[in-house]
Amino acid sequence: MSDVEIKLRSTLTCPHCGHASEQTMPTDACQWFYDCTSCGAVLRPRPGDCCVFCSYGTVPCPPVQAGHDCCG
């Protein structure tokens, strides 16, 4: 049993316009796309990241928080 507290909320910040939006992360899948609610840009993970939360969020996705390499 792990003593790591998994956080499910992360603030995504759009790299195009700087808009920040708090979102709930899925626990059972990666989120590969996110539409910015301010400028409409479609965010995709940066190379080497498994999802938009790992690339643009204040908190990485739940699998990464738990110590897994990616969302697999």
Side-chain angles (χ1 to χ4, degrees):
M1 179 176 252
S2 176
D3 60 353
V4 175
E5 180 184 341
I6 303 297
K7 296 177 180 163
L8 299 179
R9 301 285 292 171
S10 182
T11 300
L12 288 175
T13 301
C14 178
H16 302 284
C17 72
H19 177 74
S21 176
E22 188 176 67
Q23 301 293 317
T24 300
M25 296 181 279
T27 58
D28 60 349
C30 287
Q31 186 163 334
W32 291 301
F33 302 101
Y34 175 78
D35 294 323
C36 177
T37 56
S38 180
C39 72
V42 178
L43 307 185
R44 292 175 178 84
R46 291 185 300 229
D49 286 342
C50 63
C51 67
V52 295
F53 291 104
C54 289
S55 292
Y56 307 108
T58 54
V59 177
C61 70
V64 170
Q65 290 179 58
H68 302 291
D69 287 335
C70 76
C71 299

